């Protein structure tokens, strides 16, 4: 094993730091220099719990992939963090079996961030923890993999960008299709005028989500540090149907399926339209149609549509359906995008297959139908290479791209909850003459949790 270099740079960050509750962290940052042969030590924060349907456990997926890439990339998981200590044994065994090393276990992420041996943090926490964990990690001198969406709201996303910039951190956002060669080829064709001027992208997220049920509030299990799980979110009594993967479908902790699965397709749609800015207007509508209130505790819509308009007139449409439906187009696309241009159209499927057509022609003039290798493997490899080179420009999905795509989800949800069309001033990231909408750009943090000054 190659010996790791000594940490040689230390600097104080002033008074902003980790002081929360009884754990008083000093406001100290350190930066390590990594050479091409240095091992990169990783901590995965947020392990998740796999649901009977197979959903969830994103953190455990990262544990598996990082272990698989250990030799190839000279990386090692040295610690795992989750507020539910019941999740440690299975993940510890995975790391030990695949790498021969038993990781440290922490239920409080601040202990991970204070560990000078940790170079990189993979965050797979619920959405309401994304911003605070990210900013703490920036202050602690860690490089960061952020799970989408970037923040629980729009203002958090902007603060996360400011923190990454101030502390000069390499940050990759988990929009993994940006790493796929098939997707890159499709975007190249679109941007080079292969179907003329692309004026609209229609995004489909037809992914059946059966009810996860309903339960009465109860006492949390002893293995769960419930107050830490809530963190900055408003207090709510423990309910087994509102944790783990189900956090996505409650406004206090998640942002619905549009920001869970739909954000991947929205990111590709925005990429294909070549829109590197915010839209100027949004309208979203929908509802819960699959079950009665006493059958499921879900609050976010199971059916949602949204339309975004950009300053140059381009349109991005989104349609989410959590129930039974056919796909669309020649690829029978249930999850994907159709791009419309002045000279033709391009169908892009979830598995990164695509076909491009000229005008009314029945046969595609270009296509990719062989599935690419693992998307997450490719994006993680790209991230580690960018960390080694200390070069943000190498990232397939930097924090700015993550923010633009995540903001689409937040804008749609604000419009849906208010029930009206909204005008957005992207330069200031505020709504035009709409106090109610502007109040939804941020949230009150539950004490003693608070965002440090950036």
């Amino acid at each position: 094993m190659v010996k790791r270099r000594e940490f040689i740079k230390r600097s104080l960050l002033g008074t902003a730091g980790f002081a929360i509750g009884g754990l008083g962290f000093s406001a100290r940052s350190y930066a390590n220099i990594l050479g091409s042969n240095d091992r990169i030590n990783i901590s995965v924060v947020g392990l998740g719990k796999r649901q009977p349907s197979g959903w969830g456990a994103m953190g455990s997926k990262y544990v598996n992939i990082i272990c698989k890439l250990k030799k190839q990339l000279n990386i090692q998981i040295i610690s795992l963090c989750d507020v539910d200590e019941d999740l440690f044994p299975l993940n510890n065994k995975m790391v030990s079996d695949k790498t021969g090393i038993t990781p440290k276990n922490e239920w409080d992420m601040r202990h991970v961030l204070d560990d000078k041996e940790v170079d990189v943090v993979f965050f797979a926490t619920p959405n309401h923890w994304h911003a605070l964990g990210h900013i703490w990690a920036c202050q602690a001198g860690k490089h960061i993999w952020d799970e989408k969406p970037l923040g629980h709201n729009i203002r958090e996303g902007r603060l996360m960008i400011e923190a990454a910039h101030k502390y000069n951190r390499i940050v990759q956002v988990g929009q993994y299709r940006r790493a796929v060669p098939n997707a890159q080829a499709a975007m190249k064709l679109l941007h080079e005028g292969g179907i003329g001027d692309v004026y609209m992208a229609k995004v489909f997220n037809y992914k059946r989500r059966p009810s996860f049920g309903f339960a009465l509030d109860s006492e949390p299990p002893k293995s769960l540090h419930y107050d830490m799980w809530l963190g900055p979110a408003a207090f709510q009594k423990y309910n087994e149907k509102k944790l783990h993967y189900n956090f996505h479908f409650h406004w206090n902790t998640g942002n619905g399926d549009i920001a869970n699965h739909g954000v991947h397709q929205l990111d590709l749609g925005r990429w294909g339209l070549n829109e590197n800015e915010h839209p100027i207007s949004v309208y979203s509508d929908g509802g819960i149609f699959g079950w009665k209130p006493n059958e499921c505790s879900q609050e976010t819509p199971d059916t949602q549509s949204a339309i975004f308009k950009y300053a140059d007139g381009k349109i991005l449409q989104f349609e989410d359906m959590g129930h039974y439906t056919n796909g669309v187009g020649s690829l029978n696309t249930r999850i994907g995008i159709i791009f419309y241009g002045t000279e033709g159209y391009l169908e892009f499927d979830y598995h990164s297959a695509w076909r491009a057509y000229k005008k009314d022609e029945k046969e595609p003039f270009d296509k990719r139908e062989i599935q690419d290798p693992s998307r997450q493997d490719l994006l993680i490899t790209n991230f580690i290479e960018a960390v080694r080179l200390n070069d943000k420009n190498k990232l397939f999905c930097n924090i700015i791209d993550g923010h633009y795509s995540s903001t689409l989800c937040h804008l749609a949800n604000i419009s849906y909850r208010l029930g009206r069309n909204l005008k957005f001033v992207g330069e200031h990231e505020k709504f035009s003459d709409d106090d109610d909408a502007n109040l939804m750009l941020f949230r009150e943090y539950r004490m003693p949790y608070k965002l440090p000054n950036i």
Side-chain angles (χ1 to χ4, degrees):
M1 183 179 296
V2 178
K3 184 177 180 181
R4 291 170 43 77
R5 296 188 182 184
E6 299 292 332
F7 288 96
I8 65 172
K9 292 185 178 179
R10 296 171 181 264
S11 61
L12 295 177
L13 298 180
T15 57
F18 301 153
I20 287 186
L23 291 172
F25 281 79
S26 64
R28 176 171 294 179
S29 174
Y30 45 82
N32 61 318
I33 296 178
L34 292 165
S36 60
N37 292 321
D38 288 320
R39 188 184 72 194
I40 293 178
N41 284 338
I42 295 172
S43 180
V44 178
V45 178
L47 300 174
K49 185 176 182 179
R50 203 154 192 79
Q51 304 297 295
S53 61
W55 304 341
M58 198 67 229
S60 293
K61 289 182 182 178
Y62 290 144
V63 170
N64 183 48
I65 294 170
I66 293 165
C67 289
K68 182 174 69 172
L69 297 174
K70 175 182 180 290
K71 291 183 179 179
Q72 175 186 334
L73 301 179
N74 194 14
I75 56 179
Q76 176 65 53
I77 293 175
I78 65 168
S79 65
L80 300 173
C81 180
D82 198 283
V83 294
D84 189 346
E85 296 189 59
D86 268 355
L87 302 180
F88 288 137
L90 183 63
N91 287 280
N92 285 340
K93 186 176 187 304
M94 190 188 309
V95 177
S96 179
D97 288 349
K98 293 178 179 293
T99 71
I101 294 175
T102 301
K104 292 183 256 184
N105 294 158
E106 302 285 357
W107 61 265
D108 188 329
M109 71 171 70
R110 292 168 293 189
H111 295 167
V112 169
L113 301 178
D114 202 46
D115 185 348
K116 296 177 177 61
E117 290 299 304
V118 174
D119 305 308
V120 168
V121 179
F122 275 68
F123 281 116
T125 61
N127 298 4
H128 68 287
W129 260 110
H130 286 186
L132 192 53
H134 168 97
I135 293 172
W136 285 350
C138 287
Q139 291 184 317
K142 313 302 184 188
H143 298 298
I144 303 162
W145 173 288
D146 278 323
E147 189 53 49
K148 46 71 190 170
L150 196 70
H152 186 257
N153 52 67
I154 294 171
R155 180 60 181 154
E156 283 185 348
R158 177 54 55 183
L159 292 173
M160 293 167 77
I161 292 171
E162 292 174 1
H165 178 73
K166 178 174 181 177
Y167 301 111
N168 195 28
R169 298 296 86 204
I170 304 294
V171 179
Q172 181 98 283
V173 182
Q175 303 287 170
Y176 48 79
R177 285 179 184 82
R178 284 184 173 256
V180 175
N182 275 2
Q184 293 166 356
M187 298 306 143
K188 185 174 185 292
L189 183 148
L190 293 172
H191 295 166
E192 292 180 350
I195 59 170
D197 294 330
V198 182
Y199 60 87
M200 184 169 70
K202 189 168 185 178
V203 170
F204 304 92
N205 190 56
Y206 297 165
K207 190 175 179 68
R208 184 173 178 267
R209 300 285 191 187
S211 168
F212 50 78
F214 178 83
L216 297 175
D217 295 340
S218 60
E219 292 297 315
K222 292 181 180 180
S223 65
L224 177 66
H225 299 267
Y226 183 60
D227 186 79
M228 179 63 72
W229 185 87
L230 280 176
F235 177 79
Q236 61 187 31
K237 291 185 178 180
Y238 170 80
N239 188 298
E240 63 180 84
K241 297 298 185 181
K242 296 183 180 181
L243 273 75
H244 297 300
Y245 196 78
N246 299 339
F247 76 83
H248 285 293
F249 310 112
H250 297 89
W251 294 119
N252 193 32
T253 54
N255 305 95
D257 217 22
I258 189 172
N260 174 30
H261 202 267
V263 67
H264 289 299
Q265 285 64 252
L266 282 168
D267 181 64
L268 284 169
R270 185 181 63 79
W271 186 13
L273 291 174
N274 211 14
E275 292 291 354
N276 299 307
E277 58 184 38
H278 294 304
I280 60 173
S281 69
V282 58
Y283 178 71
S284 181
D285 205 351
I288 298 175
F289 301 103
W291 43 82
K292 298 175 183 179
N294 63 346
E295 295 174 337
C296 185
S297 64
Q298 179 165 340
E299 298 171 339
T300 62
D302 62 20
T303 301
Q304 185 176 11
S305 61
I307 185 166
F308 308 89
K309 187 173 183 178
Y310 286 91
D312 59 5
K314 293 179 182 178
I315 298 294
L316 177 59
Q317 294 184 16
F318 173 79
E319 190 171 288
D320 180 76
M321 179 68 73
H323 302 288
Y324 305 105
T325 183
N326 290 323
V328 297
S330 69
L331 290 170
N332 192 34
T333 298
R334 287 181 171 87
I335 301 173
I337 314 101
I338 298 179
F339 296 95
Y340 297 92
T342 55
E343 300 297 324
Y345 60 97
L346 186 148
E347 301 175 351
F348 190 99
D349 184 74
Y350 173 72
H351 297 293
S352 302
W354 57 267
R355 296 173 182 172
Y357 295 84
K358 290 286 190 183
K359 298 184 178 179
D360 290 329
E361 294 179 3
K362 303 302 181 184
E363 294 298 323
F365 71 90
D366 200 352
K367 63 182 180 179
R368 301 287 188 279
E369 295 186 348
I370 298 175
Q371 290 189 23
D372 280 315
S374 171
R375 300 178 290 269
Q376 284 135 345
D377 289 31
L378 292 170
L379 195 62
I380 289 174
T381 298
N382 168 248
F383 174 49
I384 296 301
E385 290 173 349
V387 169
R388 287 199 186 282
L389 295 171
N390 194 31
D391 188 351
K392 300 179 180 68
N393 295 322
K394 297 292 184 181
L395 294 169
F396 286 146
C397 189
N398 60 47
I399 193 168
I400 301 294
D401 277 317
H403 179 56
Y404 281 138
S405 295
S406 296
T407 294
L408 294 171
C409 308
H410 301 316
L411 289 173
N413 283 336
I414 293 172
S415 173
Y416 166 80
R417 297 179 78 178
L418 292 176
R420 60 175 179 266
N421 185 71
L422 300 173
K423 304 294 184 182
F424 193 62
V425 184
E427 181 182 1
H428 302 291
E429 294 189 343
K430 290 185 178 180
F431 295 98
S432 177
D433 299 321
D434 196 321
D435 292 339
D436 290 338
N438 283 323
L439 286 174
M440 300 176 76
L441 292 170
F442 194 58
R443 71 182 301 167
E444 290 291 329
Y445 269 42
R446 185 174 69 99
M447 294 300 290
Y449 298 87
K450 62 181 180 179
L451 286 170
N453 293 324
I454 305 300

